[in-house]
Amino acid sequence: MSAEAPRRRGRPARAAADDTGPGARERILEAAREQFAERGYDKTSVRGIAKAAGVDPALVHHYFGTKDEVFAAAIEVSFEPALVVPALLDGPRDAVGERLARFFVGIWENPATRAPLLAVIRSAVTHEAAAKVLRGFVLRRLLERVADGLAVPDPKFRAELAASQMMGIVLLRYVIRVEPLASEDPERIVAEVAPTLQRYLTAPDLRTP
Amino acid sequence: MSAEAPRRRGRPARAAADDTGPGARERILEAAREQFAERGYDKTSVRGIAKAAGVDPALVHHYFGTKDEVFAAAIEVSFEPALVVPALLDGPRDAVGERLARFFVGIWENPATRAPLLAVIRSAVTHEAAAKVLRGFVLRRLLERVADGLAVPDPKFRAELAASQMMGIVLLRYVIRVEPLASEDPERIVAEVAPTLQRYLTAPDLRTP
């Protein structure tokens, strides 16, 4: 990212013993999650992530590329699409809405996964790069694959409708924290939102344009 | 607001002929809508609004009070609760979801009302004052009154569920602009979201905790 270049310039490449290998990659992701969660998207830099992980910024670029690719990787860990999509599709078709709602509320109720996701939402509203991550990973890689797996018409539109309901819950329950929604039993949120997600994902009437 | 005080200090109170009366109040609201929409919540000041309206900052405080009260007033104009709530409640109970969806999509499809509302959403995720406006006006003064008018149990929770769906549409269609949702025919958005709002607002199964 152009924003990083000038800050890295003149910074001598360090060659610490712990600068490479899978351990370094994990430390970078962990540091990225922490930094994005604590500072938000714009205040976080590849240099800062590298420093927190104890590696050279060049290694961050080597493993992940640009700042928003690091961001995407840090977020994706919260909901490994490769594992989650099959799990959401596995089971009764008429309960996919409930499985999706429970998975979704689950990652938001878990403070470890909530923090970086809050950073995405906060950033996505004001930063195109973060919005792109939200579009690319949450939508394309997770929800659209679920819709595709259900073999329904308009999978993109259905995925976006489902995402809109879940993003709205995030906004009011976890970001703005309106009451009683913010203190409501997570299982009740799942129970009320599941039928909405089910209809968006599988109802035939969404075929009519 | 404390943020304004230092900036107003040393600014001589002006006594222009147009400094008072309903004309001034309207100009202040118009200026506030423009400034909040263009600059966002934190970059907008009572002083800047007063200057744009051609009045003394003291008059802004006189009419509206603090910065977030000006903000609230500027936003409220977009959906006059006193007029909107009865209109939403007037008509078949089983079509209140569609009326709410159509009203909501309508104010968002109208660029004049969309701009200040976008400012609220953008600000609400990062500024408590803006979040408070969203909670107080959109929820308490609009949606909760609709739910109250429907005489259903859990009116607050139902209003928040309905708000979550509409806020999610706003986030994905108008703020993050995901496709195809962002380019979809507004009437189709209304058609797909209406049953969700209807269920949240009137379905008896929301009684079960």
Side-chain angles (χ1 to χ4, degrees):
Chain A
M1 302 272 293
S2 57
E4 310 313 321
R7 301 165 74 173
R8 277 208 318 288
R9 224 172 267 136
R11 202 179 134 86
R14 290 167 42 220
D18 63 359
D19 240 19
T20 54
R25 191 176 187 288
E26 286 318 304
R27 285 204 311 284
I28 292 167
L29 279 180
E30 185 55 41
R33 277 195 295 279
E34 286 171 12
Q35 302 251 317
F36 282 122
E38 286 165 16
R39 308 170 163 217
Y41 185 87
D42 55 344
K43 291 201 185 68
T44 298
S45 68
V46 165
R47 180 172 170 282
I49 290 167
K51 190 175 178 184
V55 302
D56 188 87
L59 195 68
V60 177
H61 288 293
H62 167 71
Y63 278 127
F64 302 102
T66 65
K67 172 176 164 178
D68 45 305
E69 285 167 327
V70 182
F71 192 20
I75 297 315
E76 196 182 0
V77 176
S78 303
F79 56 88
E80 300 284 2
L83 303 174
V84 171
V85 173
L88 290 172
L89 289 170
D90 182 38
R93 181 186 179 89
D94 64 4
V96 66
E98 184 183 342
R99 290 194 295 275
L100 182 56
R102 180 161 284 111
F103 159 73
F104 181 79
V105 168
I107 58 173
W108 277 95
E109 290 299 313
N110 175 350
T113 44
R114 182 193 307 174
L117 287 171
L118 269 177
V120 191
I121 303 296
R122 289 210 168 93
S123 306
V125 193
T126 45
H127 297 82
E128 173 53 23
K132 189 175 153 195
V133 170
L134 200 62
R135 282 193 297 263
F137 285 74
V138 181
L139 273 166
R140 307 275 168 266
R141 299 197 52 176
L142 183 71
L143 291 169
E144 271 182 37
R145 287 185 187 182
V146 171
D148 286 336
L150 293 167
V152 285
D154 292 347
K156 281 183 188 290
F157 184 53
R158 288 171 181 271
E160 290 167 6
L161 285 173
S164 75
Q165 174 58 93
M166 298 192 292
M167 287 297 141
I169 291 289
V170 165
L171 195 63
L172 294 187
R173 178 175 168 96
Y174 303 102
V175 179
I176 297 176
R177 292 187 298 280
V178 293
E179 293 295 353
L181 189 68
S183 307
E184 188 55 76
D185 173 6
E187 272 305 307
R188 185 166 183 205
I189 305 294
V190 170
E192 304 302 354
V193 167
T196 300
L197 302 181
Q198 185 71 42
R199 186 171 67 82
Y200 290 156
L201 291 174
T202 64
D205 67 5
L206 283 182
R207 305 183 71 150
T208 63
Chain B
M1 303 274 292
S2 57
E4 310 315 318
R7 302 165 73 171
R8 277 211 316 290
R9 225 173 268 136
R11 203 180 132 87
R14 290 169 41 220
D18 64 0
D19 240 18
T20 54
R25 191 177 188 285
E26 286 318 303
R27 283 203 311 283
I28 292 167
L29 279 180
E30 184 55 38
R33 278 195 293 280
E34 286 171 10
Q35 302 252 315
F36 282 122
E38 287 164 18
R39 308 170 163 218
Y41 186 88
D42 54 344
K43 291 201 186 68
T44 298
S45 67
V46 165
R47 180 172 171 280
I49 291 167
K51 190 175 179 186
V55 302
D56 188 87
L59 194 68
V60 176
H61 288 294
H62 166 71
Y63 279 127
F64 302 102
T66 65
K67 172 176 164 179
D68 45 303
E69 285 167 327
V70 182
F71 192 20
I75 297 317
E76 195 182 0
V77 177
S78 305
F79 56 88
E80 300 283 3
L83 304 173
V84 172
V85 173
L88 290 172
L89 289 170
D90 182 37
R93 181 188 179 87
D94 64 6
V96 67
E98 184 182 342
R99 290 194 297 274
L100 182 56
R102 182 161 284 111
F103 159 74
F104 181 80
V105 168
I107 58 174
W108 277 95
E109 289 300 312
N110 176 350
T113 45
R114 182 193 307 176
L117 288 171
L118 268 177
V120 190
I121 303 295
R122 289 211 169 91
S123 305
V125 295
T126 45
H127 297 82
E128 174 52 24
K132 191 176 151 196
V133 169
L134 200 63
R135 282 194 298 262
F137 284 72
V138 181
L139 273 166
R140 307 276 168 264
R141 300 197 53 174
L142 183 71
L143 291 169
E144 272 182 36
R145 288 185 185 182
V146 171
D148 286 337
L150 292 166
V152 284
D154 292 347
K156 281 182 189 292
F157 184 54
R158 288 171 182 270
E160 290 167 5
L161 284 174
S164 76
Q165 174 59 94
M166 298 192 292
M167 287 298 142
I169 291 289
V170 165
L171 195 64
L172 294 187
R173 177 176 168 97
Y174 303 103
V175 179
I176 297 176
R177 291 187 298 282
V178 294
E179 293 296 353
L181 189 67
S183 307
E184 189 54 76
D185 173 6
E187 273 305 306
R188 186 168 183 203
I189 305 293
V190 170
E192 304 303 354
V193 166
T196 300
L197 301 181
Q198 185 72 40
R199 185 171 67 82
Y200 290 156
L201 292 173
T202 64
D205 67 5
L206 284 180
R207 306 184 72 152
T208 63

